[in-house]
Amino acid sequence: MHNTLDSDSEDELPPGWEEKSTEDGNVYFVNTLNNKTQWTHPRTGHKKIIPKDFPFGWIKTLDETEKPLYVHLETGNKTYVDPRLAFATAEKKHVYDFRQRFDGSTTAFQVLHGVDLSGKYALITGCNAGIGYETAKSLARHGCNILLANRNMEATQTAIEQIVKETNTSDENLKAIHLDLSSLKSVKQCARAVKTIFSDHLDMLILNAGVFGLPYEETEDKLDRTFQVNHLSHMYFALLLEPLLKNGSRVVFVSSESHRTASLKNVFVRQNLAHPRDNYSAMLAYGNSKLYNVITAMILSEEWKHKGISVNSLHPGNMVSTNLPNSWWLYKLLFFIVRPFTKSLQQAAATTVYVATASELDEVTGLYFNNCFYCEPASLARDKDIAHEVFSISLCMIQERMGAEIIQPYIDKYCAKKRTSK
């Protein structure tokens, strides 16, 4: 189903050939030896396309002879070569045909090289530190308008000030909003507030916040905190914000490879996805919550595909140095020991930024990514019956606490089947 295009070495032009662009942005190839021109790549046979917009900082003008001239506003560099050609890609025969351009060593800065996000709107949860902060900083550096949704507003304001300082972006592009994911009431209030801020549309919804290694702790909604913060509140938030998501919008669930350690023993018997107090395991609760992230992304990708909304999930990196392990000294020690062998925060943010912005992922939905490329999720996530059961139980748990407002169509579709089957 998912194919990759030719490698970069195959994409190199043979001797004597040049790549050029037309006024309307199409790519053609010229053989300087015989002046032959063609629309397809002389080696691969593919037609190539370039982005509609110029790379960040570049504008097109005309020289004294009316010939197109490209100028970089920051450096003053000038060239007659269309800078968009540096980002030319083979025209895809299928939406899922895309080449692996990056790997585990790639940083968010490299992913966004030449990308202009001016006029784009993003909401990121859990972004006052760690991977979320690096994600927000990277997007802001390229002109994106960002709403930072966090529980600690003082820390969020500090994060905004630091991003402005490090990127020279305008503080008008960065706004903070209160969101306590341990409270479904707070999630609903936040979603209402978001709709007044982004009244038109939301281009990127990045569900990044998470907790790890917590002892059993009940929220005000009488649920295990790890389960609610990592999964249920994010799912509810995404459903509430659906009206802001339009054709081309992307929803990103930051999951983890830990979803492969999940166990659903007795979950369907209890009809409760939250980990029970009497048999609590912090690691299992975390793994299960991350499995639910992958499943939710896959279900919503099917639900919203007809609207042109892409929903994907990803793994940012193993044991990255963030605030996640701060709940227990042993976790802090373990993360400290492995720090030299794990990704930096910029590397960890790369996959999130890639899934949220990469042009080759237009219309790509329902995939799980690791190291800036898709990979197969765990078998539990791929089982459609299990996925539908997890999604329906989640809906019922939300309905019991918050009613059916906004989510009624999903309850009718998924929970009605459950009632019928009993």
Side-chain angles (χ1 to χ4, degrees):
M1 175 182 175
H2 310 307
N3 305 308
T4 57
L5 296 175
D6 304 286
S7 68
D8 288 331
S9 60
E10 291 175 319
D11 195 47
E12 292 180 2
L13 288 170
W17 285 88
E18 292 181 356
E19 189 177 52
K20 296 189 176 184
S21 64
T22 63
E23 286 296 317
D24 57 1
N26 288 309
V27 178
Y28 66 99
F29 303 89
V30 179
N31 188 321
T32 58
L33 302 179
N34 57 19
N35 291 325
K36 177 184 177 182
T37 62
Q38 61 188 58
W39 291 110
T40 56
H41 192 287
R43 191 188 298 273
T44 68
H46 290 299
K47 189 179 185 300
K48 298 191 76 175
I49 56 175
I50 55 178
K52 295 179 181 178
D53 300 320
F54 287 99
F56 188 62
W58 285 93
I59 62 169
K60 178 183 176 183
T61 184
L62 299 175
D63 68 7
E64 61 277 4
T65 65
E66 300 297 310
K67 184 178 180 181
L69 180 67
Y70 306 93
V71 181
H72 194 277
L73 295 176
E74 184 174 332
T75 64
N77 291 340
K78 299 178 181 180
T79 178
Y80 287 104
V81 178
D82 189 334
R84 292 178 296 174
L85 287 172
F87 305 96
T89 57
E91 187 176 53
K92 295 193 289 185
K93 296 179 179 178
H94 188 279
V95 68
Y96 288 97
D97 292 340
F98 55 92
R99 176 188 300 128
Q100 182 169 6
R101 296 193 288 134
F102 306 110
D103 57 28
S105 65
T106 303
T107 65
F109 178 80
Q110 292 170 307
V111 171
L112 285 170
H113 178 65
V115 176
D116 187 357
L117 298 177
S118 300
K120 298 289 186 179
Y121 294 88
L123 187 154
I124 310 175
T125 68
C127 48
N128 57 21
I131 297 172
Y133 172 82
E134 291 297 328
T135 301
K137 183 175 72 173
S138 299
L139 297 180
R141 189 189 300 274
H142 291 260
C144 190
N145 299 282
I146 305 172
L147 187 58
L148 294 81
N150 295 299
R151 183 172 55 126
N152 187 330
M153 295 303 286
E154 183 178 348
T156 304
Q157 189 56 46
T158 300
I160 289 175
E161 292 170 1
Q162 191 64 28
I163 290 173
V164 170
K165 181 179 178 181
E166 293 183 22
T167 64
N168 292 320
T169 190
S170 170
D171 57 5
E172 295 181 359
N173 290 359
L174 298 163
K175 292 182 172 61
I177 191 168
H178 182 263
L179 172 64
D180 183 356
L181 290 165
S182 64
S183 164
L184 292 175
K185 181 180 178 181
S186 174
V187 172
K188 188 173 184 178
Q189 291 173 340
C190 182
R192 284 177 176 170
V194 171
K195 291 174 184 177
T196 65
I197 298 172
F198 292 152
S199 57
D200 183 22
H201 71 283
L202 183 58
D203 297 293
M204 291 167 265
L205 174 59
I206 301 175
L207 303 170
N208 166 82
V211 293
F212 167 83
L214 297 181
Y216 185 86
E217 181 182 333
E218 268 192 8
T219 67
E220 65 180 48
D221 297 301
K222 306 300 180 185
L223 295 169
D224 160 39
R225 186 165 181 243
T226 297
F227 161 77
Q228 181 168 343
V229 170
N230 291 2
H231 163 60
L232 197 67
S233 288
H234 273 137
M235 172 177 160
Y236 187 37
F237 199 39
L239 291 172
L240 292 175
L241 292 178
E242 180 187 353
L244 291 180
L245 304 173
K246 308 298 182 183
N247 183 28
S249 294
R250 298 189 187 186
V251 180
V252 180
F253 283 83
V254 178
S255 180
S256 168
E257 278 292 276
S258 295
H259 85 277
R260 301 185 191 280
T261 68
S263 171
L264 298 181
K265 182 180 180 181
N266 295 326
V267 164
F268 298 147
V269 174
R270 293 185 292 110
Q271 289 293 291
N272 189 334
L273 302 178
H275 217 78
R277 180 195 295 268
D278 57 3
N279 189 29
Y280 187 76
S281 163
M283 293 301 292
L284 190 56
Y286 181 76
N288 279 15
S289 71
K290 292 303 167 179
L291 172 66
Y292 303 150
N293 288 158
V294 179
I295 285 175
T296 302
M298 295 178 73
I299 292 287
L300 293 182
S301 72
E302 289 298 320
E303 289 290 334
W304 296 345
K305 184 188 298 184
H306 71 286
K307 296 182 180 181
I309 302 168
S310 295
V311 190
N312 295 293
S313 59
L314 62 90
H315 169 65
N318 293 317
M319 303 186 77
V320 179
S321 180
T322 68
N323 290 334
L324 269 184
N326 287 350
S327 58
W328 190 27
W329 69 268
L330 184 58
Y331 290 140
K332 292 178 68 174
L333 176 61
L334 182 58
F335 274 62
F336 176 78
I337 292 172
V338 303
R339 184 179 299 175
F341 312 103
T342 61
K343 290 183 178 182
S344 68
L345 290 175
Q346 261 288 305
Q347 289 171 327
T351 302
T352 302
V353 169
Y354 173 73
V355 175
T357 66
S359 59
E360 65 261 36
L361 299 186
D362 287 346
E363 300 181 56
V364 171
T365 189
L367 298 187
Y368 172 72
F369 289 79
N370 188 1
N371 291 329
C372 294
F373 203 58
Y374 69 82
C375 65
E376 192 170 66
S379 57
L380 285 175
R382 303 195 308 271
D383 188 305
K384 289 188 176 181
D385 290 334
I386 289 177
H388 280 223
E389 186 73 5
V390 165
F391 194 73
S392 66
I393 293 176
S394 298
L395 287 169
C396 292
M397 295 177 75
I398 294 171
Q399 182 185 24
E400 288 171 7
R401 293 160 176 81
M402 300 301 295
E405 183 183 359
I406 302 293
I407 64 172
Q408 187 65 59
Y410 297 98
I411 291 171
D412 291 343
K413 179 176 180 178
Y414 289 90
C415 297
K417 292 181 180 179
K418 184 183 294 293
R419 291 192 293 268
T420 303
S421 62
K422 287 184 178 180

